[in-house]
Amino acid sequence: MLEKGKISASQLGMLLFLAVVASGVMWIPGITGKYAKNDLWLSPIWASLMGVITVFIAFQLHKMYPKQTVVQYSEEILGRLSGKLVSLVIILFYLHITGFIVRSYAEFIVVNFLHKTPISAVVASMIIVCAFAVIGGVEVVGRTAQVFFPFFLIPVFFMPLLLSDMKLDYLFPVLEHGVVPSLKGALVPGGWFSEMFVMSFFLPYVANHEKGMRSGLWSVFGVMMLLTIINLFILFVLGRQVGDFLFPVMVAFRYISVAEFFENMESLVMAIWILGMFVKITVFYYVTVIGASQWLRVSEYRSLVLPFGFLIGLFSFWSYPDFNAGLYFDTYAFPFYGPCIQTVLPLLLLIVGALRKRKQSVKLDR
């Protein structure tokens, strides 16, 4: 195995939680609000079904091939040539998505805070920091997620400070136009929930791997609850205008003012969000490098960390020509692109792998 480190099932759960929710907490409320209006709080609940399905598929594949990642068992399931092709598609997908995530992070920083900073500097600084974590290995990635996980919950405790600006009437009428608007709003977060499939790259390194599925499901539940709570609070503050804002979370936290002491809370939210994005980018960076190392059959994955960091930087600009193009991709393309590669394709691998295992058992019985 390229990686000799180990993480616990709880670290896996925290890692998955931050890998999915870090970027979604900023983007999803505004996107779902356009479609679901005052029912946007229901959209994460429907979307979480995608996460449950993805976790189930990833764990069932792990049970069939317990010491391998998807890049490795694709060859056993489909044969060497077809398996190589499928795993290459998965690696290129994660390379593309990692670049996209880095660029989304940089765009948010430049648009909201560092207006005069070159976006290339923001991209390069994050990639360099994440590269050190990836070089440290899976244990560093797992422990980083464990340390930063509690910080990401801090904004939830500050939300009650918005009570004076809340209007609970904004919640009603529930399902005024039926369930369809909230289902449309669930398409985008559904794409994010499919990212739970990154667990297939970490399960071989989980010490108590039999608890892997439980950790994955708890992560799905945690992401669903956090997004639902945040959507509700934002709805109570902004009403149906949620969909008019790109980053409604930042707008809502600007309303906080307690005795002229607790103010400018968006700066705290920003700092915590950067920690979450660091974990998310590190996870996807690690997955890309480990997958490429297994595909190339190299003996040491660390030699590929810097070259792939350079590629991620290039993809961050190639895949994201401008802010509007990135928003369009997030809203209309990724809800189908993400689940196709991370849920549908693994499902096909699971079906073919199960059929092959059954044929092998029948031959042995004979």
Side-chain angles (χ1 to χ4, degrees):
M1 294 175 73
L2 287 169
E3 176 65 74
K4 296 181 181 179
K6 291 288 184 180
I7 60 174
S8 65
S10 61
Q11 288 174 331
L12 173 66
M14 296 174 194
L15 180 153
L16 292 174
F17 176 86
L18 291 176
V20 174
V21 82
S23 57
V25 74
M26 287 295 182
W27 297 88
I28 287 177
I31 296 174
T32 55
K34 290 181 181 179
Y35 300 99
K37 304 300 181 183
N38 61 308
D39 291 326
L40 79 162
W41 62 278
L42 288 170
S43 295
I45 299 174
W46 312 138
S48 65
L49 296 176
M50 179 67 72
V52 171
I53 294 169
T54 304
V55 167
F56 176 79
I57 293 170
F59 191 74
Q60 292 304 311
L61 284 167
H62 171 70
K63 284 175 63 178
M64 293 168 60
Y65 305 94
K67 296 182 179 180
Q68 299 179 357
T69 70
V70 63
V71 173
Q72 295 169 311
Y73 56 65
S74 292
E75 293 186 36
E76 290 200 23
I77 293 174
L78 301 175
R80 184 176 176 82
L81 184 60
S82 299
K84 279 282 188 185
L85 182 61
V86 167
S87 55
L88 179 61
V89 169
I90 293 173
I91 294 167
L92 291 176
F93 167 82
Y94 282 114
L95 177 61
H96 173 218
I97 292 302
T98 307
F100 185 85
I101 294 168
V102 172
R103 181 61 183 275
S104 299
Y105 157 80
E107 287 281 355
F108 182 87
I109 294 291
V110 172
V111 168
N112 289 278
F113 292 92
L114 306 179
H115 307 293
K116 297 183 179 181
T117 304
I119 195 167
S120 56
V122 180
V123 168
S125 60
M126 178 56 87
I127 291 175
I128 291 170
V129 173
C130 292
F132 282 106
V134 174
I135 290 172
V138 69
E139 289 186 359
V140 171
V141 178
R143 288 172 184 173
T144 301
Q146 186 176 20
V147 170
F148 290 160
F149 174 77
F151 290 97
F152 212 79
L153 301 179
I154 289 176
V156 177
F157 297 104
F158 281 101
M159 282 184 176
L161 297 178
L162 290 167
L163 286 174
S164 60
D165 298 295
M166 290 183 187
K167 295 182 180 179
L168 301 185
D169 293 343
Y170 286 147
L171 180 64
F172 304 103
V174 177
L175 298 177
E176 179 183 9
H177 301 289
V179 75
V180 174
S182 62
L183 289 175
K184 287 182 178 179
L187 287 176
V188 173
W192 260 284
F193 273 103
S194 70
E195 292 176 351
M196 286 287 173
F197 187 69
V198 297
M199 70 184 294
S200 65
F201 289 87
F202 291 94
L203 281 170
Y205 311 117
V206 175
N208 44 346
H209 62 91
E210 68 280 354
K211 297 180 180 179
M213 185 169 177
R214 188 194 309 172
S215 295
L217 292 176
W218 272 113
S219 297
V220 172
F221 178 76
V223 173
M224 182 268 290
M225 285 299 298
L226 181 63
L227 291 178
T228 301
I229 291 170
I230 288 177
N231 283 359
L232 277 172
F233 274 103
I234 293 173
L235 174 64
F236 293 154
V237 174
L238 302 178
R240 297 193 178 206
Q241 293 180 324
V242 172
D244 297 334
F245 299 98
L246 283 175
F247 309 112
V249 173
M250 301 296 289
V251 175
F253 270 86
R254 289 191 180 112
Y255 278 79
I256 293 179
S257 179
V258 180
E260 296 184 357
F261 180 74
F262 281 106
E263 292 182 328
N264 300 317
M265 298 301 294
E266 68 271 16
S267 300
L268 174 65
V269 174
M270 182 69 178
I272 294 171
W273 178 77
I274 290 174
L275 295 179
M277 287 302 293
F278 166 70
V279 175
K280 182 182 182 85
I281 294 168
T282 299
V283 167
F284 279 79
Y285 192 168
Y286 178 84
V287 163
T288 304
V289 172
I290 281 291
S293 301
Q294 293 169 339
W295 194 82
L296 295 170
R297 298 183 186 275
V298 299
S299 58
E300 177 59 55
Y301 80 88
R302 290 173 177 84
S303 61
L304 296 180
V305 172
L306 293 182
F308 268 86
F310 178 73
L311 287 176
I312 289 169
L314 290 180
F315 269 81
S316 71
F317 291 96
W318 289 344
S319 63
Y320 203 136
D322 55 53
F323 186 84
N324 290 329
L327 187 62
Y328 182 89
F329 177 84
D330 259 337
T331 306
Y332 300 105
F334 190 71
F336 303 98
Y337 178 47
C340 279
I341 303 297
Q342 299 176 111
T343 305
V344 177
L345 183 57
L347 176 60
L348 295 176
L349 288 175
L350 179 61
I351 293 171
V352 175
L355 291 174
R356 285 205 165 192
K357 290 281 187 180
R358 181 176 296 180
K359 286 183 179 180
Q360 291 174 359
S361 64
V362 169
K363 287 182 180 179
L364 290 175
D365 291 339
R366 291 178 180 176

